[in-house]
Amino acid sequence: MLEYLFKHSSHPTVEEIYRNLVPEIPTLSRTTVYNALNLFSEKDLVCEVNVGEKETRYDANTGEHAHFKCNSCGRVYDVWIEKKDWGVESLEGFKIEEKHLYYRGICPRCSRG
Amino acid sequence: MLEYLFKHSSHPTVEEIYRNLVPEIPTLSRTTVYNALNLFSEKDLVCEVNVGEKETRYDANTGEHAHFKCNSCGRVYDVWIEKKDWGVESLEGFKIEEKHLYYRGICPRCSRG
DNA sequence: TTTCGTGCAAATTATTTGCACTCCC
DNA sequence: GGGAGTGCAAATAATTTGCACGAAA
């Protein structure tokens, strides 16, 4: 199937993936992109990322890392933060399965202009 | 305006707010709920919460706290985590404006049954 | 009367679903 | 022929927008 998807990897939305791949595969449809991504994410090859937007982004990087979304340009960055800095390990009575951490602000590119 | 909204506060979606208030205010429309929430969130009276879903939830609690979403029942809880545990304070070249932290897993209610 | 909050209904955007088509065994 | 992956086009869902109406300043 479409393994090529994540050679192009950053934190694309479905729409971006679609646009990037249509030139190479003109027959491609959005449906197929959705299919592929859902399949991948079920198998934990990629993970879904929500940074406060309606559009879901996908990340080829399944390691534990946080994200930074630029409020100015909209880019999403990976940020690697030590696990000890990820908040508490456990909560009274709660079984924690996933932790999600993200920041918003201004990225270096935008703050320099 | 509609201050009553956040006497009912937990972490409602627009739909939930709407349903909760229609009995009291039968003329209410979803549009008004959206208007009110957007206004409130601009003025930082409430904040938007995204816990990996398409629907945006709103939180009357603007203090710095994290969230826990139950994968089983779907409830969203506030969890108060000391700031020191909120990951790094600053990142090389990045201007951090907001931090978002949330967990997913099973809540006490669901793990007991 | 001007302005503001409201609410309907239509538009937009993101995603899902139903079904038909083709390629390969 | 039968199953898989694909893709169109219609359906849903969440949210936004355009406009018109009524109450209060």
Side-chain angles (χ1 to χ4, degrees):
Chain A
M1 219 216 212
L2 310 171
E3 313 295 307
Y4 9 35
L5 276 182
F6 283 91
K7 284 152 196 151
H8 306 249
S9 57
S10 54
H11 298 108
T13 62
V14 170
E15 194 60 23
E16 285 163 0
I17 296 172
Y18 177 68
R19 295 234 184 90
N20 273 313
L21 288 178
V22 165
E24 295 177 38
I25 314 157
T27 67
L28 186 68
S29 79
R30 258 165 274 259
T31 308
T32 306
V33 179
Y34 281 109
N35 285 341
L37 289 171
N38 288 336
L39 206 78
F40 289 163
S41 106
E42 270 172 38
K43 311 222 167 170
D44 291 317
L45 298 172
V46 303
C47 55
E48 304 184 351
V49 177
N50 272 101
V51 279
E53 300 192 307
K54 39 198 165 187
E55 277 187 286
T56 304
R57 290 167 178 278
Y58 291 86
D59 194 339
N61 220 322
T62 52
E64 280 227 331
H65 62 281
H67 294 101
F68 181 96
K69 162 104 194 247
C70 178
N71 281 330
S72 169
C73 66
R75 279 191 195 82
V76 176
Y77 299 82
D78 278 335
V79 292
W80 299 88
I81 286 176
E82 296 176 62
K83 275 181 197 151
K84 69 170 178 59
D85 287 327
W86 271 69
V88 296
E89 283 303 316
S90 59
L91 289 164
E92 277 280 348
F94 291 86
K95 219 173 278 167
I96 294 179
E97 294 175 349
E98 302 163 42
K99 288 181 177 188
H100 298 269
L101 175 61
Y102 71 91
Y103 300 93
R104 305 183 116 247
I106 308 297
C107 74
R109 253 181 274 219
C110 290
S111 41
R112 298 200 181 162
Chain B
M1 217 218 214
L2 311 172
E3 312 295 307
Y4 9 35
L5 277 182
F6 284 90
K7 282 152 197 151
H8 306 248
S9 57
S10 55
H11 297 111
T13 62
V14 170
E15 194 58 26
E16 285 164 359
I17 296 172
Y18 177 68
R19 294 235 185 89
N20 272 314
L21 288 178
V22 165
E24 295 177 37
I25 314 157
T27 67
L28 186 67
S29 79
R30 258 165 273 259
T31 307
T32 306
V33 179
Y34 281 110
N35 285 342
L37 289 171
N38 289 336
L39 206 77
F40 289 164
S41 104
E42 270 171 40
K43 310 220 168 174
D44 291 317
L45 297 172
V46 303
C47 54
E48 304 185 351
V49 177
N50 271 100
V51 280
E53 299 191 309
K54 38 198 166 190
E55 278 188 286
T56 304
R57 290 167 178 279
Y58 291 85
D59 193 340
N61 221 321
T62 52
E64 281 228 330
H65 62 285
H67 295 101
F68 181 95
K69 162 103 198 248
C70 178
N71 282 329
S72 170
C73 66
R75 279 192 195 80
V76 176
Y77 299 82
D78 278 335
V79 292
W80 300 88
I81 286 178
E82 296 178 62
K83 276 180 198 153
K84 70 171 177 60
D85 286 328
W86 269 69
V88 296
E89 283 303 318
S90 58
L91 288 164
E92 276 281 348
F94 291 86
K95 217 173 279 167
I96 295 178
E97 294 175 349
E98 301 164 42
K99 288 182 180 188
H100 298 269
L101 175 62
Y102 70 90
Y103 301 93
R104 304 183 116 248
I106 307 297
C107 73
R109 254 181 273 217
C110 290
S111 42
R112 300 201 178 160

